[in-house]
Each structure stands twice: as C-alpha cells, then as structure tokens.
Amino acid sequence: MPKIFYLIAGFLALGLGGLGVVLPLLPTVPFVILAAFCFARSNERLERWLVEHRTFGSHIRAWRERGAISRKGKQAALAAFAVSIVFALLFAPLPWSLAPMAAALIGGSWIWTRPEG
C-alpha cells in the first residue's frame, strides 16, 4: 500500500479515537493503536509522537509487546458499553436497541480475554 493511504488512515483512526472520548460506544485507545500502526508505515514522526504520548503511549507499547489491555482500560470499555446499552434501551425501539447489546457482548468478551498490561 502507498504511504499516503496509511497516513490518511492514521488520521482517520486518530479522529475516530478523538470522537471516542465523548461517544460512549466508540472506543478511544483501539483507534489510537490503529493510528500508531498506520503512522509506523507512513510517518515516523507521528508514530513516535503517539508512542511517546503521555496518555496513550503506554497503551500502545503494551499492545505491541504483549497484546495487553490494562485493567483500567478494560473497566472503562465495559462501563462505556453498559452506558450505551442503557441509552439504547431507553431511547431506541426494539429490535434496534439490541444492536448495542450485541456489540457490547461481543466486544466486551474479546476485551476481557486480552492479557493485562
């Protein structure tokens, strides 16, 4: 793939991660990890900035070294899933309210089975 593809994908992932800060069902750290992956293939300076970032750097390094997610990260993800389920049940009619529940069960199960770093 051309470097420009990875650069654009990295910025897109970083933007989605930024949205994940305020939107409950959208995760932040996985998108930042994806952005670091993309920047590693397109822009060394941006990758280094993410890997050395005060907030996200440790998460990226733990994922790269051990495929690990911190306990705090797991708890935050599961709490966000729970909030999403509650909002869906309150504001969305059936069967649409079941979609966040399915995403939470699938995503939450996968997240909880990752090693802790």
Side-chain angles (χ1 to χ4, degrees), residues 83-106:
V83 168
S84 297
I85 290 171
V86 169
F87 274 105
L89 291 173
L90 289 173
F91 299 112
L94 284 171
W96 301 109
S97 61
L98 299 177
M101 194 175 305
L105 288 172
I106 294 167

Side-chain angles (χ1 to χ4, degrees), residues 3 15 17 22 24 34 39-40 45 47 52 57 78 84 88 90 92-94 103 109 113:
K3 286 185 176 188
V22 294
L34 176 61
F39 291 150
R45 188 178 59 81
E47 183 218 7
E52 295 173 359
L78 296 179
S84 297
L90 289 173
L94 284 171
S109 297
T113 61

Side-chain angles (χ1 to χ4, degrees), residues 48-66:
R48 187 174 46 252
W49 173 71
L50 279 178
V51 171
E52 295 173 359
H53 193 274
R54 184 172 50 105
T55 303
F56 300 115
S58 62
H59 298 289
I60 295 167
R61 289 187 300 274
W63 180 257
R64 284 182 173 179
E65 294 166 8
R66 300 178 307 283

Side-chain angles (χ1 to χ4, degrees), residues 9-10 12-18 20 25-36 50:
L12 182 62
L14 200 54
L16 289 172
L25 191 59
L26 196 62
T28 299
V29 173
F31 283 114
V32 174
I33 291 171
L34 176 61
L50 279 178

